[in-house]
Structures are given as structure tokens and as C-alpha cells.
Amino acid sequence: MLFDKQTYMERRRVLRERIGSGLILLMGNNESPVNYPANGYKFRQDSSFLYYFGLHREGLVGVLDADEGREWLIGNDIDIEDIVWFGQVDSVADMAAQTGVENSAPMAELAKLVNKAKEQGRRIHFLPPYRHDLMIQLMDLTGIHPSKQREQASVELIKAVIDQRAVKSEAEVAEIVRACAIGYEMHTTAMRMCRPGVTEQEIAGRISGIASSKGCIVSFPSILSMHGEIMHGYPSPRPLETGRLMLCDCGAETNENYCSDNTRTTPINGRFDQRQKEIYQIVVDCHDHALQLAAPGVKWWDVHFGVARLMTERLKELGLMRGDTDEAVAAGAHAMFFPHGLGHMMGMDVHDMEGLGQIYVGFDDEVRPNLEQFGTNCLRCGRRLQEGWVMTDEPGIYFIPALIDEWRSKGINKDFLCFEKIETYKDFGGIRLEDDILITKDGCRMLGDQIIPYKVEDVEAFIAS
């Protein structure tokens, strides 16, 4: 457990009082086999269960009675067969005491608690499940088919959990900073290895090994590719080629499951050529512009489009765009180069709480998503920022040949895009820079005791050293 039991007790008290009535089910994860039952993936606890209970053992369910204030930790104690293979572990009753829960019971009691609440006409609150074994368990408990569970999950519970988890305590921020330190080592290792002839997979394997060597895991499958124009370009066995760029998007997740997420783009031969430097500098300036704009009360929507306007202005200077900047951005012309959102919340999930529904995590009654416009439909957050939120700041510029051909053939945004000039960049690839930022009382700051080099001169000096 990362925190003392009072922290978890207080989190659960706030949640019970926010929900007010009914029975709250917080499902922990079970083990997941790779290719046969005894060969499992490394266990990863559900983030919301972990937030409220702090327990890493599989096969647990937390139950909160919002009417009576009672709490249970449900789970089966392991038997002697498991002890022989895996060693002694705490009993469920011991774990309940560690996290400040008065009652514990075997898994068979869960159905009795749920059935009693249903007979009393009380609401059963649960979060949207994402693992199929838990979907089946929820169906047995509630009678709701897995295909209907996401839409029938408790919106009140979803919003309450998001409100709590979004604001990070000082201790949580400190754990994210620990993840950032591992991420720094991963990224600087990738930059040192970035030279012609080394394969993408070799570098990706080395940086994943850094996370493993700390007892951690990567916070998501590492993206590492010369094809930076592919948003999720996973590493291939191809050797790096001189004159190209290597995009590396990776992060670490600590033993207590808090994440880092950074992206750097490195010239494979150690120095940017003039064309690369021009595009790279725009991304640097957009990255830094977001740091100037982000502050409590500011809509992330406005930060995103503030960056989009700066990017458009600078691309016009290079002859890649034209026309009125505001009109071009309103039309979504910038999305030819910047087809994703500026960033996302981050915490115990690298896309924090995405499984609860992005419509609730990133938007609210004031700021609604635009799901129709290309690029804008990938904006993960638009809400007003709050002190204590952790966001990623990740602008990028990409030259995607298939997208260029598609828009040019259909005349999409032809009044704002200089297709003749854009054609000459089809071999460019893509550039993204990403850092994790904490929203502070007066603005924001980048997280991490050491900042991974990202300015042109700093990147080239680091590689040269």
C-alpha cells in the first residue's frame, strides 16, 4: 500500500457520501492468462479499486453501503496448493484491516449482499467493466448482459470517481515524479542508442528493460519508429537510417501504478537538417506555448486551439498553409498536420480514467466534444483545468502521405493548404514532443526532477556528448 489506511478510509468516506444511497461495487482484477491458465500476464490491479483500497492482490471486490456506511472486502483466502507455489500471503481479513475496512467475507457472500440490496429496491452502483471475466461476474450479480453494462453503469459513481481521482495529492504527484525519473532514463537511453544501423526493436527492448529492472512495467506499449507520421508506430526490426528522425513515445509505471508519458523525436545522424529543424522548432514553440496558457480555470479546449493557431501561423511562414488563421483553424485545416488532441489526463492510468468514459473524464455540461470534425474528434479533454490535475502536453506535426492524397483528391481545406509544397514533405515522417505537466495554483509546471532534452541545441549537444 502506497498510503496509510486513513487515506483510503477518507477516500471511501467521500465517495459514499457523494453517492448517498445504494450499494457500491468496486471490482478488483483477476489474473489473466497469456496462452494457458498457469502462464499469466503480470498482474495489474484495477486503478479505481487500487485508489480506494490500495491492495494489489487479485480476486478482490470492495463493497460500500452508501446508506449505512458499512464496508466489506470480499475475496477468498488462498489454499495450501497456492501457498506451495507462490508463498504465504495475508488473509483477506488482514488485508481489510490494513486498509481500514471492518468487514471481510469470502466471494460467495457477495451475491448475498447484492441480492439483499436488490430485494430492498436499492441501487447497485458499478463502474463500466473492461475485462470479460468481470463482465460475466457482474451479469451473475445484477442480471445485466455484458453488452448492456457500459450503458447501465452508474453515471453518479463514474462522475464521483473522476472528481476524486483527477485531483492529485502531493503524495500522488511525488509518485508520478518517480515514474518520470524512470522515463527520463528510458528516453535518454533511446537517444544515446539512436544511430544508423541500430534496430527499432533493439532500442524499444532496451528501454522496456529499464522499466522492468526497476520492478515496474511500461505504462503502455512503447511507440518507437522512423515513421513518426504513424501515431502508434510500434517498433519494427528495421535498422535506423541516416537522415531520418526517430520518434519515441514511452513511459514507466511504478510499483504503485502511477505513470509517466513522454515523447521525443531524435535525428538519427545526430543533427537536424534545415527542413527538420524548421518543423521541429514549431513543435517546440507549440509545446512551450501550452505551458504558458495552461492554468486553473482555463479550458483545455482553448489551450489546444491556442496551440493550433500558433502552429498554423508558423506553417504559413513555411508556405505549407495560407489564408486567415482563425478561419483555417475553425475549418480544421491544421488537422492535416496535427490530427490528435493536445493531451490527456494522467495518473494511475496513462490515459487517466479513460475506461470510465472520455465523455465524463474530459468534458462536462459546459464543454462538449466535437465528434464530427477530423482531428477535433480526437481531443480527449476540453474542460476547465483544476489545480492538482496532471495533463500531458504533446503537440506534433506529421506528414501522412495517405491523408495528404485523400484531402488533395477531394479538395478538403484547399483554401488553406498549399498542397504543391506539402507534396515535397511526404518523405518527412513526423515530430511529436510530450511532457507531463501539473496544474498549479497560478499556472502549470513540467514534472520530473530532470527534463529530457527537447530544445534543438540541447538535443544535438546531448547526442554529441
Side-chain angles (χ1 to χ4, degrees):
M1 292 172 58
L2 178 60
F3 309 110
D4 60 72
K5 71 178 181 181
Q6 293 300 132
T7 296
Y8 298 104
M9 292 172 67
E10 177 63 14
R11 288 173 175 177
R12 296 193 300 268
R13 182 195 66 77
V14 170
L15 183 64
R16 289 197 318 268
E17 293 183 359
R18 169 76 182 265
I19 298 304
S21 65
L23 204 65
I24 302 167
L25 304 183
L26 293 168
M27 313 290 287
N29 281 336
N30 300 310
E31 289 185 332
S32 181
V34 179
N35 57 339
Y36 58 89
N39 186 29
Y41 290 103
K42 182 173 181 177
F43 178 70
R44 171 53 156 94
Q45 186 59 279
D46 175 77
S47 296
S48 290
F49 180 90
L50 194 61
Y51 182 83
Y52 291 103
F53 293 91
L55 299 169
H56 290 274
R57 212 206 82 174
E58 73 287 348
L60 300 174
V61 177
V63 181
L64 312 181
D65 189 322
D67 295 288
E68 300 180 5
R70 300 182 69 194
E71 300 177 340
W72 292 264
L73 183 67
I74 308 293
N76 296 328
D77 290 326
I78 69 170
D79 57 25
I80 192 63
E81 292 287 337
D82 289 323
I83 292 172
V84 168
W85 288 100
F86 301 109
Q88 187 71 47
V89 298
D90 292 336
S91 69
V92 175
D94 288 340
M95 288 187 289
Q98 292 164 14
T99 194
V101 174
E102 290 187 2
N103 307 293
S104 63
M107 191 59 72
E109 294 296 311
L110 179 59
K112 296 178 184 178
L113 287 171
V114 172
N115 288 336
K116 181 180 178 181
K118 288 165 64 179
E119 289 168 2
Q120 296 170 337
R122 299 168 64 202
R123 176 88 178 274
I124 308 299
H125 298 273
F126 60 88
L127 297 172
Y130 53 91
R131 290 194 175 189
H132 290 86
D133 55 336
L134 297 182
M135 292 179 187
I136 294 170
Q137 187 178 7
L138 269 174
M139 181 171 65
D140 291 341
L141 291 169
T142 66
I144 302 172
H145 190 273
S147 65
K148 303 293 184 182
Q149 287 172 3
R150 289 197 68 84
E151 63 187 66
Q152 294 191 38
S154 170
V155 174
E156 298 96 321
L157 182 59
I158 289 169
K159 289 182 176 180
V161 170
I162 289 170
D163 284 350
Q164 280 189 271
R165 284 183 55 189
V167 179
K168 307 300 187 289
S169 67
E170 289 185 10
E172 288 181 287
V173 172
E175 192 66 18
I176 293 172
V177 169
R178 278 190 277 274
C180 289
I182 303 168
Y184 176 88
E185 187 174 342
M186 294 166 70
H187 273 279
T188 52
T189 296
M191 293 171 73
R192 289 189 184 98
M193 293 181 68
C194 181
R195 57 183 181 272
V198 181
T199 68
E200 295 173 359
Q201 288 180 342
E202 181 179 352
I203 300 174
R206 185 75 63 84
I207 62 178
S208 296
I210 291 171
S212 297
S213 72
K214 310 292 184 183
C216 307
I217 57 176
V218 292
S219 51
F220 57 95
S222 298
I223 297 165
L224 192 145
S225 177
M226 290 181 288
H227 285 282
E229 79 278 7
I230 301 173
M231 300 301 105
H232 288 174
Y234 296 117
S236 77
R238 293 181 58 185
L240 300 183
E241 301 169 10
T242 188
R244 300 189 67 174
L245 300 168
M246 180 190 78
L247 187 149
C248 177
D249 186 345
C250 70
E253 183 175 303
T254 69
N255 284 331
E256 293 298 335
N257 303 113
Y258 283 83
C259 299
S260 68
D261 183 7
N262 298 92
T263 306
R264 292 295 184 266
T265 306
T266 306
I268 293 170
N269 63 351
R271 297 186 66 84
F272 296 98
D273 64 30
Q274 184 59 35
R275 188 173 67 156
Q276 291 169 346
K277 187 180 295 186
E278 290 170 348
I279 299 297
Y280 189 92
Q281 188 59 52
I282 297 175
V283 180
V284 169
D285 292 343
C286 288
H287 169 281
D288 291 352
H289 189 51
L291 298 176
Q292 296 169 351
L293 296 176
V298 175
K299 295 177 187 175
W300 189 248
W301 181 281
D302 292 337
V303 180
H304 170 85
F305 283 103
V307 166
R309 282 190 290 273
L310 175 62
M311 184 181 295
T312 299
E313 283 289 334
R314 299 292 298 280
L315 289 171
K316 285 164 58 177
E317 292 172 7
L318 293 182
L320 292 163
M321 295 189 71
R322 62 187 172 214
D324 182 82
T325 295
D326 289 339
E327 290 179 6
V329 171
H334 64 283
M336 159 71 77
F337 311 97
F338 183 32
H340 59 76
L342 178 63
H344 50 81
M345 285 192 191
M346 196 188 71
M348 280 193 284
D349 307 313
V350 71
H351 289 174
D352 209 20
M353 301 175 287
E354 185 175 289
L356 300 182
Q358 204 65 52
I359 190 70
Y360 303 115
V361 177
F363 298 91
D364 55 18
D365 292 339
E366 180 189 16
V367 184
R368 306 304 295 165
N370 179 347
L371 302 179
E372 304 301 321
Q373 187 181 69
F374 179 83
T376 307
N377 62 348
C378 293
L379 185 57
R380 297 180 185 276
C381 184
R383 298 170 61 185
R384 293 187 185 275
L385 299 167
Q386 296 180 34
E387 183 180 357
W389 284 14
V390 174
M391 303 291 297
T392 63
D393 168 15
E394 50 179 309
I397 293 178
Y398 315 88
F399 294 88
I400 306 168
L403 184 64
I404 295 169
D405 291 343
E406 171 87 0
W407 282 29
R408 187 175 193 182
S409 67
K410 294 182 177 180
I412 298 173
N413 285 313
K414 58 183 175 60
D415 293 335
F416 306 110
L417 297 171
C418 304
F419 284 110
E420 290 296 330
K421 184 70 175 286
I422 293 170
E423 283 283 337
T424 67
Y425 282 74
K426 275 186 170 181
D427 63 343
F428 185 93
I431 292 170
R432 180 164 67 252
L433 296 174
E434 176 182 15
D435 283 296
D436 308 324
I437 63 173
L438 173 68
I439 306 303
T440 61
K441 180 180 179 180
D442 300 316
C444 71
R445 65 178 174 88
M446 290 169 60
L447 289 176
D449 294 330
Q450 293 178 288
I451 302 302
I452 307 160
Y454 73 96
K455 300 290 180 69
V456 169
E457 59 275 12
D458 294 338
V459 170
E460 294 182 342
F462 182 83
I463 296 171
S465 67

